[in-house]
Amino acid sequence: MGFQLPQKTINGAIMMYGWNGKILRINLDNNTTKVTTFDEEFARMYIGGRGFAARIIWNEVPPGTDPLSPANKLVIATGPLSGLPLPSSGKVVVAAKSPLTGGYGDGNVGTKLAEHLKRAGYDAIVVEGAAKDPVYVYIENDKVEILSAEKLWGLPVDDLEAELKKEYGRNVGMLSIGPGGENLVKFAVIRAMEGRSGGRPGIGAVMGSKKLKAIVTKGTNEMPLADGASLKEIGKEAYNSIPKRELYPIWMRQGTMMVFEWCNETSTLPTYNFREGVFEYSKELDANKMETLKVKTLGCPLCNMRCGHSIKDENDDLSELDYENVGMLGPNIGMKNLTQVGTLIRMADDYGVDTISLGSVLAFAAESSEKGYLDAWKWGDVEKAKELIKKIVYREGELGNLLAEGTVNVAKKLGEETLKWAMQIKGLDISAYNCHLCPGMALAFSTSPIGAHHKDAWVIAWEVQTNRESYGKEKAEKVIEFQRIRGGMFESLTTCRLPWIEVGLELDWYPRLLKAATGMDWTLDDIWVVADRIYALIRAFWVRELKDKWSRTMDYPPARWFEEPLPSGPLKGSHLDKEKYDQLLSQYYALRGWDERGIPTRSTFEKLGLKDVADELEKYVQLTP
Ligand code: PTT
Ligand code: SF4
């Protein structure tokens, strides 16, 4: 890469531009806080967000740690572009060892905390240990208070936020958990005051295990920028260019719900636990229907593409409809009415559980009931669904307690054969795209570093438009290209990727913005190297956890997509071909410099500057040279 980080001296201490160089450590075992620093080398190698989180978790969470024990660490990390005046920068990464998958887990949340944390003087927070009684944390620049949350514990997210706003006002960053996180539901998320959610792999449960109800942050310092004037100028140009884009008007009307109809038309809509790809009632749930019900649009801070389209639910409460939410709590569980789906989404938000995994575990329970393994509920019964959601969140009774463990764990309890219809990969439930005839997207899901999430490589639109049936090398190349951009660049910068995806904001804006923020000349190729490093590091984490239980089958999609052809729709009879998928996976591994087990070779680790990781990993598995 060959660049030098510029530095400035403040009161004798060397500072970087773009980063504060400081991580706030909050230890809840003994109610202490301290600040640790990182140097230029660390910033250059991992950029921020996911990169910082992955390295901290690799270094500090020992193999075999129970994810819900005090030894796990909760990391909340910004990147050098988070919280700055540039498009959609109000994002942070929340990460920990996942209680759902047992591997590395993270999520991305839109929140004012991105800006406030940076202005408070920190790039990241690491929460260590666990409190005995419920607490929340208030950070205001150098002041960090650990306060009793005795009166807040048990509150659903909306009520909690209302209480904390009374105390701190609206001009703060606020992340919190609902009863889902408190009760250690394995797919609990962290909620933001702006209505967003993050941390699908149970990061909210990790926060709950630490008895940490909320983090409120207020920062008032200047941002450490190399060239603040240029940054403002380039950021303004970028903001101004967005509304001129062709797709901007439709995006502003429909947001992520835009894809609902397309999914139904292309047989990729998750329907009845991904058994089918088309839903006969899709018109009752799609974006056009949403537009007739929409009352408000919410969104993350610093964004001019706000996409939280909200309707009133059955109780007249606001419910935010994103495609994943509607796909998983709509057709995937047989719901035909958008207002009712809105009620289920609203419950998930207020309780603080992931809509995708919730839809998946409910679908799994309906199918398992149909097959005689459970007596839970039937598809489309909205009253029963509401009852079950409550039971899950409060772990009520045997059934609630069982389903709160998440699909993969329920399947393991019911019997190995039920794993055939447990729609997950590496333990994380698949988000809302049916891949009976999308080998590239199946590969993207299977090689995502946190388990089956579309966030790292949403190749499905490209795949369906080009050569859908191909298992050629171009699919592996496209997955890696997207993983570098989405999972590497956007997760470490850390900003929202939607300006690039949805309205076509060109990627080369980002090195320009990075130059203004950090003073460094980054090229996109420099960033891809960091992305590959982060991928190799996260893969090392998974392998270190699983040791000899790790194999390439961890990168396989569920049996349903191979063995059960689509029973209806224009693609009736389609399914993935296992042998060809395996060849595609081998091509992916070869392109990444990973061996046939899907483990980076020693030479790949070393090329990426991760010799120390290779040395540590070699204590657990033999590496290919
Ligand atoms: C994300 C996942 C998604 S992805 C959705 S809808 W999507 C679901 N949203 C949930 C929700 O809402 N409430 C809830 N209780 N559970 C939910 N689970 C699901 O979580 C989100 C947007 C969206 S909307 C997407 S695609 C993009 N994701 C980004 C990303 O991952 N990285 C990034 N740099 N930019 C992104 N921009 C977009 O952000 P997870 P958010 Mg989320 C209410 O968290 O764990 O990553 O899972 O992030 O701030 O809510 O914004 O059709
Ligand atoms: Fe948030 Fe949507 Fe804006 Fe991205 S585009 S920052 S998800 S409101």
Side-chain angles (χ1 to χ4, degrees), residues 68 111 138 181 198 228 324 331 422 431 499 513 544 600 608:
L68 296 177
T111 165
Y138 178 67
E324 306 296 327
S431 38
L513 290 161
R544 187 175 68 175
L608 293 170

Side-chain angles (χ1 to χ4, degrees), residues 25 32 107 141 151 196 250 256-257 271 293 422 445 588:
R25 306 262 172 176
T32 56
N141 300 332
K151 290 195 180 124
R196 321 304 301 194
I250 179 81
T256 58
M257 281 290 284
T271 307
L293 300 173
F445 272 137
Y588 172 92

Side-chain angles (χ1 to χ4, degrees), residues 87-91 108-111 196 251-252 255-256 297-308 320 322 495-499 502:
S88 312
S89 66
K91 293 269 188 183
N108 192 294
V109 198
T111 165
R196 321 304 301 194
W251 170 258
M252 292 307 281
T256 58
T297 303
L298 306 169
C300 314
L302 297 158
C303 179
N304 63 344
M305 294 178 45
R306 288 156 68 84
C307 63
E320 187 183 315
D322 276 304
T495 68
C496 178
R497 62 174 185 252
L498 297 184
E502 304 295 351

Side-chain angles (χ1 to χ4, degrees), residues 298-427:
L298 306 169
C300 314
L302 297 158
C303 179
N304 63 344
M305 294 178 45
R306 288 156 68 84
C307 63
H309 299 294
S310 307
I311 64 167
K312 288 278 177 78
D313 72 2
E314 292 173 301
N315 307 312
D316 228 23
D317 288 323
L318 269 190
S319 174
E320 187 183 315
L321 307 184
D322 276 304
Y323 167 69
E324 306 296 327
N325 302 342
V326 179
M328 296 305 288
L329 288 167
N332 203 44
I333 57 171
M335 295 291 163
K336 306 165 193 156
N337 175 301
L338 195 55
T339 305
Q340 290 177 349
V341 172
T343 307
L344 305 184
I345 293 171
R346 161 85 193 187
M347 289 178 81
D349 274 348
D350 221 13
Y351 289 143
V353 293
D354 173 32
T355 50
I356 296 172
S357 297
L358 179 65
S360 178
V361 80
L362 287 174
F364 178 82
E367 184 163 351
S368 300
S369 301
E370 221 173 47
K371 293 186 156 105
Y373 286 86
L374 265 183
D375 183 15
W377 76 304
K378 289 197 178 68
W379 306 109
D381 179 344
V382 70
E383 292 310 319
K384 197 72 193 178
K386 288 187 235 170
E387 211 179 281
L388 270 180
I389 293 173
K390 257 195 193 147
K391 283 192 173 154
I392 291 170
V393 168
Y394 291 98
R395 288 187 173 269
E396 274 170 27
E398 214 179 309
L399 184 61
N401 203 27
L402 177 68
L403 300 183
E405 290 298 301
T407 309
V408 72
N409 297 316
V410 184
K412 283 180 187 158
K413 272 244 161 80
L414 295 185
E416 287 290 309
E417 67 277 23
T418 67
L419 277 167
K420 278 197 169 176
W421 60 90
M423 299 306 290
Q424 52 76 38
I425 301 167
K426 297 189 186 68

